[in-house]
Structure formats: C-alpha cells, structure tokens
Amino acid sequence: MSDDEGGEAMTYETSLQEIYGFSELRPSQQVIIDVIMTGEDVLALMPTGGGKSLCYQLPVILSGGKALVITPLISLMEDQVAELKRLRLKAACIHSYLDIREKRMILNSLHDYQFIFCSPEWLATEQAKGLIDQIMFTHVVIDEAHCISEWGFDFRPHYLLLHEILKEDNQVIALTATADEKIITDILHLLKRELKVIDERTERSNIFLSVEFQQDKLKYIESLLDDAGPVIIYFSSKKICDDIHHKLAEKFSGMTYHADMTYEERMTVQTAFYNDRIQYVCATSAFGMGINKKNIRTVIHYHVPKSKMQYVQEIGRAGRDGLQAHALLLFDEEDIYRSYRFLQEDSLSEADLNSYLNGALLPEEKKEQLQILTSLFSEQQLRYIIDREYQSKKQALMQMAEYGNASQCLGAQLYHADAPCGYCQFCWGKRTFQFEKMDIPKICDDMKGYINALFNL
C-alpha cells in the first residue's frame, strides 16, 4: 500500500469513528461506498434496515462535497436531518409544512448546508430552479429510488422530471431496498444516466414469516398483542385502520397513522412510537419510510399489500436490531378482489388520456399527471405505458394471492429463491412468540390526551 493509499484509508476510518462512532462498516456498506468513492454514478440496492443513509453520507463528507437529497416523504426528510444534526453536520430540509420564517431562513443560507433535503415536487417550482442553479452540488442523492418507477407513472409524476435537474458534474447516488428488473430499468431510463447497479440485498432470516386465515382478525390481533412487542399493523383502508385502532385502544396503548392526518399529528405518532410510549401503530403504507426504530418485533398486515416488493419493504421494518421478529399476513381472498377494484378505479386509463387529449375536464391531479406524461412521451408510447403499468400492478396482486395461498416455503416465494428459507411456518413449523412485554400506560391518541399523559396532568 502506498503512503497516499494509507492516508486515504486513515481518513476514511477516522471519519467513520469520529462522526458515527463505528469502528467498521458492514460488508455491504463497504462495497457500495468503495464504488461511490471512485466517482461513478450508482444505483445501490440494500435491504430495509441495511444502513443505506451512511452509504451516501460518508462519501459526501469525505469528499468535502455538498449533496441535494431527494426523498418522497416529509417524515423521512425530518428524520434524516435530525440524525445529521445529532452528528453535528449541517443539514436542512425544505417542505410545505415549514414555518414561513424558518423556510426563509433556510433558503437564505442554503450555501451553508452540506445536506439539503427536498421532494421532487419542490424541485419543479420556479423558486427551486433558481436556487438550485446557484449551488454547486457535488452529489445528487435519490433516496427510495423505486418511487421513480412505482409512483412516477402514478400519483407522483414529478419523479419523472428528475433528469432535468441533473448536471454532468453531479455524481448521482440512487438507493432503494425495493426493486425488480422493471423498476431498475425504469430508474436507469428515466434518470437518463448510466448508473452502476450494486445489489447487496439479503434475505432477513431473523423475521419469521407466517400467514393466517382468520374470520375475526380483530380478535386474533388482540390475542397476540400482549406478547408482540412494538407492533406495526398495516391496512389498505384508512377507515378500517381507524376503526380497528379505536377498538384496540380500549385494551392497548397505540395510535393511528395515515395521510388524512395533519403533519403535526403524524409527527406526534412517530415520536411516541419511536420512544416506546405506545405499543402499536395502526397505519396505511404512508407509515414506515424513515422510521429508524430498531426494536419493532412484529409487523401485521391486516390487508394484503399490493405487491411482494411492498410486503418485503414493510416487514423489513421489523427486527432491525438483528433479533427475532415476526411478519404476519392475515390473508383474505376478499382483500385481493378489493385491491383489484381499487386498481381499476384509480389507475390512469386510456379513457383518461383520450379525455385529456380531447380537452375534457379532468380532476386536477390527473390533469397535472397527464400534462407531465404527455410532455415526456408520445401518444403511442403513453398508451403502451398505461397498459404496461396496469398489467404490472395486476400481476403483482396475483403474486400476493399466490403467497397468501402458498402451501410451501414462504421465503422462497418472497425472494425468488430455489432453496427453502428455514425461517417460515412451512420450514420451521407454526410458532408463537413471547417478546418482551411493554409496560405502557394506556393513553388517548388525541393531541391533548397525549400531552397530558406525558406530563401526568
């Protein structure tokens, strides 16, 4: 090893120790960071809880660079900014819920921050375009990069415009835990960059997989909660999510979380759950990204998720500490039919495209979606994309139906493996778990009740 190489390694190790308090990286992090440090554009695939934030943060710090970090959710921005500030690094996020004075202060001092977090929608504003052009970003990071494909053709079309902000001298780092070949191809195509794909995903063998058919799902969940540790219960319906929570709250301490709640309410739920002040959260898929809670022991799906990729991502929030965890799907064929009806109702259709091209009135959301899509694709391309996305989502639902009805290894189904996994109900037998009990007083889930409980008022 040359003196230069030794000096670089020492700087690398010293930064890791002094800033993060780690003596070494995980092997998967090491592989990804080594490639990023060469200056290549990278698409890194890592398991949920694999420490992907460090994979972009450390290279930016070591290079003395400045990163624009694009994330899908405000909660994810806030969580990562709080963590970077804890590490004494200059970071800020820009989103619609910021106080006007706070937002003005951040915008006036953007040059001072090493990490700036924002959404694709903000980047499309005239204000953002003017500010971004003034800042010499060395890195553009796209966290949860699967959203480019999964949401870009759907309800977050601004993801399709990210290529417009990329400059030749920006190093692009895209990261995700959730991607199949279609999504990887979409990311590379839509960003219009050659990214080196590094797949460091591994199966989460500490998460026991099981499927149950239960006529009374509520009663079954109640029978589990005493021994379930910290729990996330996922729903596809906001109404049912609220209904089940209110019934569970009569006996257990928890809150509900979905997109109809205010920003302050959602942040209150996240904080309470993170700090073990409640045992469970009844949530839609809006909950989870950026929840860096390592001791979640149980993830229950009350409804069948839309795809195996979504399921892998959501159950991956359990057992991040490496200890035993449990992923339970309460399977019901009716959930598949319900999801299929939602797919038919909510998906962009050829009829929507025809209406838009003929100047007919459309809901504002679909109008904006089609404005972006028609600016990027020809009519023929767009008709193909609309059909492809619909068929892809339909196929994903059918795969979840196969998983729910499986009579052999669940892990092999989820991860497309040839050999039995060794950690599901078919490989390991039926299991019940008795995780450490949580001694939490039952509290109200309204803001006033929560604050009163904190201060014993």
Side-chain angles (χ1 to χ4, degrees):
M1 180 184 289
S2 69
D3 290 341
D4 287 344
E5 287 173 329
E8 183 177 332
M10 183 60 70
T11 302
Y12 193 104
E13 293 167 2
T14 301
S15 297
L16 186 65
Q17 181 66 54
E18 290 184 353
I19 296 173
Y20 295 94
F22 300 149
S23 58
E24 60 182 18
L25 295 165
R26 298 174 185 174
S28 58
Q29 291 174 318
Q30 185 78 60
V31 170
I32 291 166
I33 290 173
D34 283 346
V35 177
I36 292 173
M37 291 302 294
T38 67
E40 284 193 76
D41 292 340
V42 168
L43 169 57
L45 312 177
M46 298 182 73
T48 301
K52 58 186 171 67
S53 296
L54 181 62
C55 289
Y56 76 78
Q57 291 171 8
L58 190 58
V60 173
I61 293 165
L62 290 171
S63 67
K66 187 183 292 286
L68 177 68
V69 187
I70 302 161
T71 62
L73 300 176
I74 293 172
S75 59
L76 187 55
M77 295 182 208
E78 295 276 9
D79 182 71
Q80 294 199 27
V81 168
E83 180 61 19
L84 286 166
K85 287 181 176 179
R86 187 187 69 79
L87 298 173
R88 300 178 183 272
L89 295 168
K90 294 283 284 182
C93 57
I94 305 168
H95 57 74
S96 56
Y97 289 100
L98 286 176
D99 176 86
I100 293 175
R101 288 170 296 180
E102 185 181 6
K103 190 172 185 179
R104 186 183 298 122
M105 182 183 71
I106 291 171
L107 293 175
N108 288 338
S109 56
L110 277 183
H111 290 276
D112 297 334
Y113 297 103
Q114 190 167 23
F115 296 91
I116 298 170
F117 293 76
C118 67
S119 69
E121 286 78 11
W122 182 75
L123 287 173
T125 65
E126 291 304 316
Q127 181 187 50
K129 290 174 183 175
L131 289 167
I132 296 303
D133 285 341
Q134 299 172 23
I135 300 173
M136 301 295 291
F137 287 108
T138 55
H139 300 74
V140 174
V141 179
I142 305 168
D143 200 6
E144 307 294 349
H146 62 279
C147 296
I148 294 172
S149 172
E150 286 204 319
W151 294 357
F153 296 113
D154 202 340
F155 64 100
R156 302 283 295 271
H158 290 92
Y159 264 106
L160 304 182
L161 303 176
L162 290 183
H163 67 276
E164 295 182 354
I165 63 124
L166 302 179
K167 300 174 183 175
E168 283 188 24
D169 57 350
N170 295 146
Q171 183 181 7
V172 178
I173 306 171
L175 308 110
T176 182
T178 311
D180 56 15
E181 288 304 317
K182 173 193 174 293
I183 289 175
I184 292 170
T185 300
D186 281 347
I187 292 171
L188 301 180
H189 176 68
L190 293 167
L191 290 181
K192 300 185 179 181
R193 297 284 279 245
E194 291 292 330
L195 279 67
K196 183 179 180 68
V197 180
I198 308 172
D199 192 346
E200 288 294 319
R201 290 173 296 181
T202 56
E203 297 179 26
R204 295 285 304 282
S205 57
N206 65 312
I207 303 175
F208 178 76
L209 305 173
S210 66
V211 176
E212 290 285 346
F213 301 83
Q214 295 290 333
Q215 290 295 324
D216 191 336
K217 293 184 181 182
L218 171 63
K219 186 175 181 180
Y220 188 70
I221 292 172
E222 287 177 331
S223 73
L224 298 176
L225 278 185
D226 273 333
D227 297 315
V231 183
I232 304 175
I233 309 169
Y234 280 111
F235 299 79
S236 61
S237 160
K238 288 177 283 190
K239 181 181 184 305
I240 297 175
C241 177
D242 282 336
D243 290 346
I244 295 298
H245 159 61
H246 290 309
K247 291 170 182 174
L248 289 176
E250 295 174 5
K251 302 177 182 177
F252 304 94
S253 178
M255 292 181 173
T256 188
Y257 185 109
H258 52 67
D260 284 352
M261 296 166 63
T262 66
Y263 170 69
E264 290 78 10
E265 287 171 337
R266 282 179 276 147
M267 290 306 293
T268 297
V269 176
Q270 283 193 197
T271 302
F273 189 56
Y274 183 83
N275 292 310
D276 287 334
R277 292 174 183 147
I278 55 174
Q279 181 189 5
Y280 73 83
V281 177
C282 285
T284 62
S285 59
F287 184 77
M289 286 187 190
I291 304 300
N292 190 24
K293 182 175 172 65
K294 299 187 185 303
N295 68 332
I296 297 170
R297 300 267 65 90
T298 307
V299 174
I300 300 170
H301 279 76
Y302 189 95
H303 292 129
V304 180
K306 295 177 182 178
S307 68
K308 288 195 291 187
M309 284 189 300
Q310 179 183 339
Y311 191 59
V312 168
Q313 184 180 46
E314 289 174 350
I315 67 173
R317 288 160 192 154
R320 284 180 149 187
D321 52 11
L323 302 178
Q324 184 63 60
H326 183 196
L328 168 63
L329 173 63
L330 298 177
F331 186 72
D332 184 345
E333 290 281 3
E334 181 56 37
D335 292 345
I336 300 292
Y337 302 137
R338 183 187 298 109
S339 294
Y340 181 57
R341 290 196 298 272
F342 288 156
L343 174 60
Q344 290 178 308
E345 293 167 7
D346 297 339
S347 292
L348 191 67
S349 66
E350 281 209 49
D352 293 325
L353 176 59
N354 291 334
S355 296
Y356 177 79
L357 294 175
N358 292 324
L361 287 175
L362 285 170
E364 196 59 38
E365 187 176 293
K366 280 196 174 178
K367 181 181 176 182
E368 182 181 42
Q369 184 181 1
L370 283 162
Q371 281 176 337
I372 292 174
L373 287 168
T374 53
S375 73
L376 295 172
F377 305 103
S378 69
E379 181 181 335
Q380 184 179 1
Q381 288 174 323
L382 199 43
R383 291 188 189 281
Y384 167 77
I385 288 169
I386 288 171
D387 181 64
R388 183 196 69 169
E389 292 300 304
Y390 175 79
Q391 295 300 333
S392 175
K393 291 173 183 175
K394 181 180 174 183
Q395 178 64 25
L397 273 177
M398 295 305 102
Q399 289 174 350
M400 278 309 303
E402 291 171 7
Y403 179 85
N405 284 307
S407 58
Q408 54 189 350
C409 180
L410 297 173
Q413 280 231 27
L414 272 190
Y415 300 106
H416 307 287
D418 295 326
C421 69
Y423 50 84
C424 76
Q425 67 187 52
F426 296 109
C427 295
W428 200 11
K430 287 274 189 178
R431 298 273 163 169
T432 57
F433 294 95
Q434 290 187 315
F435 297 120
E436 185 177 352
K437 291 186 183 295
M438 300 184 68
D439 186 19
I440 302 172
K442 190 169 79 68
I443 58 174
C444 300
D445 66 333
D446 61 278
M447 187 74 70
K448 183 178 177 181
Y450 174 65
I451 293 172
N452 286 345
L454 284 182
F455 294 97
N456 296 317
L457 297 176

